[in-house]
Amino acid sequence: MSEAKVSAASATAARQARRGRPPKSAQERDESERRQEIVRAAARLFRERGFAATSTRDIAAAVGMQSGSPFYYFKSKTALLHTVMHDGMEQAFASQQRALQALSSDASAHQLLRVLVRNHLEVLLGPDSDFIPVMLYEWRSLSAEQHADVAALKDRYEAQWMPVLARLHEARALRAHPRVARLFIFGALNWSAKWYRPGGSLSLDELADQALLLFAGDE
Amino acid sequence: MSEAKVSAASATAARQARRGRPPKSAQERDESERRQEIVRAAARLFRERGFAATSTRDIAAAVGMQSGSPFYYFKSKTALLHTVMHDGMEQAFASQQRALQALSSDASAHQLLRVLVRNHLEVLLGPDSDFIPVMLYEWRSLSAEQHADVAALKDRYEAQWMPVLARLHEARALRAHPRVARLFIFGALNWSAKWYRPGGSLSLDELADQALLLFAGDE
DNA sequence: CCTACCGATCGGTAGG
DNA sequence: CCTACCGATCGGTAGG
């Protein structure tokens, strides 16, 4: 169990203990939804303005609360940032897992890379896509323990790319070293969060096509 | 003349008027060097901690000044950020110009791309390389006019890549569309500012080799 | 450049 | 969750 899960679970336990009843009561559900609203608003504001430039008052106002109320749900502004990053990475990993499992077991390395790239662009640029950009750009504001937790999730996510890149490298479709290629490829894709505009001339499918052409000469 | 040059020039003029004598006196030189110290310290701190998380007091302390003294040289914290970005882009462009002019006029498109990539990595990761990362990540803190000024410099810098990418595309060495390829390539290279460690196992020459292999199948 | 200062804002808390 | 609040910090300035 990750440290973040531990801390999230203990926070829930603390609220349960305070009320002295099991989870999933109507009130527990309301509270959990309210908590999620705060996380989503924080993700959006952290992305738009940056962590340091976003006040907890901004976040409170975005969900119609008073200035001190977010601290009923999160013990600090940094804990809220950590939750945004942790939840974002968990969802991204789950999405990547589903995408890979939907492929047949004899899928080519090119097909695998296409699925990984397409899913990553979805996670990065699709609907509700504030979490990963925050994760990418706000590392420095995490404590050492929070940093280690998010890094572990990120490593697990990126590790799924390595066998695919290694196969492409052996087949000479990918000429660079797989480890450096991974860093460059993530850089290229992640940067699109800075310039891509949904609804513009390029769909996510077309963007994935272009990435495949650039990295693996794919057609 | 760019807006930033205008404002920098008028700031200098204001200081001259205050003293009522021409530039380049010993005192003017000292003042200009002191100003440069502030800019370099600000670049380093803005890169390490982010603009919003760096106080003007931090910057003052880094150059041994009292808390209010940076405002003798810069009218606001944002003006200092703008100077960091503007000066960084001017130097990067000058460096790129020199690198291109050192090539013979019949250089191949592969050679041109190699020089552009190698120079960009130098600007990004070499000594005194805090300016461009700040430029890349702190756009949102600029005013509209400052933003337009830096964008113009950045456009001029990136424009020099386009004919090279177009030639490679025509030769089928670059399969993606040149415009999208440019965005992906800059993303891949710029991201290295987040993970590259000088003195590690990879030199800048080797990093450039890997980038060329990845994007243009170069050897 | 320094001294001394101001008004605004911020993260966070006690008590209900 | 809200009310009311605190101590710390911040960008910036007047006056020398």
Side-chain angles (χ1 to χ4, degrees):
Chain A
M1 203 182 207
S2 74
E3 296 176 50
K5 277 183 180 169
V6 169
S7 72
S10 60
T12 303
R15 279 197 302 279
Q16 284 165 23
R18 206 181 308 135
R19 284 200 189 71
R21 58 164 177 262
K24 305 229 169 157
S25 72
Q27 195 168 343
E28 277 290 330
R29 260 197 310 278
D30 282 356
E31 204 165 298
S32 156
E33 271 171 35
R34 206 80 176 99
R35 188 185 151 96
Q36 265 310 108
E37 280 183 58
I38 298 174
V39 173
R40 268 194 296 270
R44 182 174 57 81
L45 290 167
F46 289 162
R47 180 186 190 172
E48 285 173 9
R49 309 178 189 178
F51 174 75
T54 302
S55 72
T56 54
R57 280 163 171 83
D58 294 334
I59 297 165
V63 296
M65 284 178 171
Q66 296 303 313
S67 69
S69 301
F71 295 98
Y72 172 72
Y73 293 91
F74 296 92
K75 72 176 206 301
S76 67
K77 188 187 175 189
T78 301
L80 178 48
L81 173 65
H82 177 233
T83 300
V84 168
M85 293 194 185
H86 181 92
D87 290 7
M89 271 315 302
E90 292 255 285
Q91 287 165 32
F93 182 74
S95 171
Q96 181 166 272
Q97 281 281 83
R98 281 193 304 272
L100 288 174
Q101 282 163 3
L103 274 181
S104 73
S105 58
D106 63 344
S108 71
H110 276 92
Q111 286 173 313
L112 283 161
L113 182 61
R114 176 173 297 272
V115 160
L116 288 172
V117 166
R118 183 60 180 81
N119 179 73
H120 193 66
L121 291 175
E122 186 70 30
V123 156
L124 205 59
L125 309 171
D128 215 19
S129 61
D130 296 313
F131 291 71
I132 301 302
V134 170
M135 197 271 295
L136 293 172
Y137 295 111
E138 302 292 351
W139 282 94
R140 15 170 205 236
S141 300
L142 296 178
S143 74
E145 302 81 38
Q146 292 166 338
H147 188 286
D149 170 65
V150 179
L153 295 176
K154 186 165 158 284
D155 288 346
R156 184 178 61 157
Y157 181 88
E158 294 179 352
Q160 295 195 295
W161 291 57
M162 287 313 296
V164 178
L165 297 179
R167 279 175 60 187
L168 287 166
H169 184 67
E170 283 161 28
R172 308 229 178 276
L174 181 80
R175 302 286 307 275
H177 276 304
R179 293 205 74 79
V180 183
R182 176 177 61 85
L183 290 161
F184 277 144
I185 290 171
F186 272 108
L189 299 179
N190 289 341
W191 195 249
S192 68
K194 298 263 184 197
W195 57 264
Y196 183 75
R197 294 291 160 249
S201 62
L202 217 58
S203 71
L204 291 188
D205 282 332
E206 288 166 338
L207 196 58
D209 288 342
Q210 292 295 315
L212 269 286
L213 281 172
L214 181 62
F215 302 134
D218 212 20
E219 184 48 49
Chain B
M1 200 180 208
S2 75
E3 297 177 51
K5 276 184 182 169
V6 170
S7 71
S10 60
T12 302
R15 279 197 301 279
Q16 283 165 22
R18 208 181 305 136
R19 285 201 189 71
R21 59 163 175 263
K24 303 230 169 156
S25 72
Q27 196 168 342
E28 278 289 332
R29 262 198 307 279
D30 283 355
E31 203 166 298
S32 158
E33 272 172 34
R34 207 80 175 97
R35 188 184 151 96
Q36 265 310 108
E37 279 183 60
I38 298 173
V39 173
R40 269 194 296 271
R44 182 173 58 81
L45 291 168
F46 289 161
R47 180 187 190 170
E48 286 173 7
R49 310 178 189 178
F51 174 75
T54 302
S55 71
T56 53
R57 281 162 169 83
D58 294 333
I59 297 166
V63 296
M65 282 176 171
Q66 296 303 314
S67 69
S69 301
F71 295 98
Y72 171 73
Y73 294 91
F74 296 91
K75 73 176 205 303
S76 67
K77 188 186 175 190
T78 302
L80 178 47
L81 173 65
H82 177 232
T83 300
V84 168
M85 294 193 184
H86 180 92
D87 290 5
M89 271 313 303
E90 291 256 284
Q91 287 165 32
F93 181 75
S95 171
Q96 181 167 272
Q97 280 282 81
R98 282 193 303 271
L100 288 174
Q101 282 163 3
L103 274 181
S104 72
S105 58
D106 63 343
S108 71
H110 276 91
Q111 285 174 313
L112 283 161
L113 182 61
R114 175 173 298 272
V115 160
L116 289 172
V117 166
R118 183 61 179 80
N119 179 74
H120 192 67
L121 291 175
E122 186 69 30
V123 156
L124 205 59
L125 308 170
D128 216 18
S129 61
D130 296 313
F131 291 72
I132 301 301
V134 170
M135 197 270 296
L136 294 172
Y137 295 111
E138 303 292 352
W139 283 95
R140 30 175 188 227
S141 300
L142 296 178
S143 73
E145 301 82 38
Q146 293 166 337
H147 188 287
D149 170 65
V150 179
L153 295 176
K154 185 165 159 284
D155 288 346
R156 184 179 61 158
Y157 181 88
E158 294 178 353
Q160 295 196 297
W161 291 57
M162 286 313 297
V164 178
L165 297 178
R167 279 175 60 187
L168 287 166
H169 184 67
E170 282 160 28
R172 307 227 180 277
L174 181 78
R175 304 287 306 275
H177 276 304
R179 293 204 74 79
V180 183
R182 177 178 60 85
L183 290 161
F184 277 144
I185 290 172
F186 272 108
L189 299 178
N190 290 341
W191 195 249
S192 68
K194 298 262 184 200
W195 58 263
Y196 182 76
R197 295 289 161 251
S201 61
L202 217 58
S203 70
L204 290 188
D205 282 331
E206 288 165 338
L207 196 58
D209 288 341
Q210 293 295 314
L212 270 287
L213 281 172
L214 181 61
F215 302 134
D218 211 19
E219 184 47 50

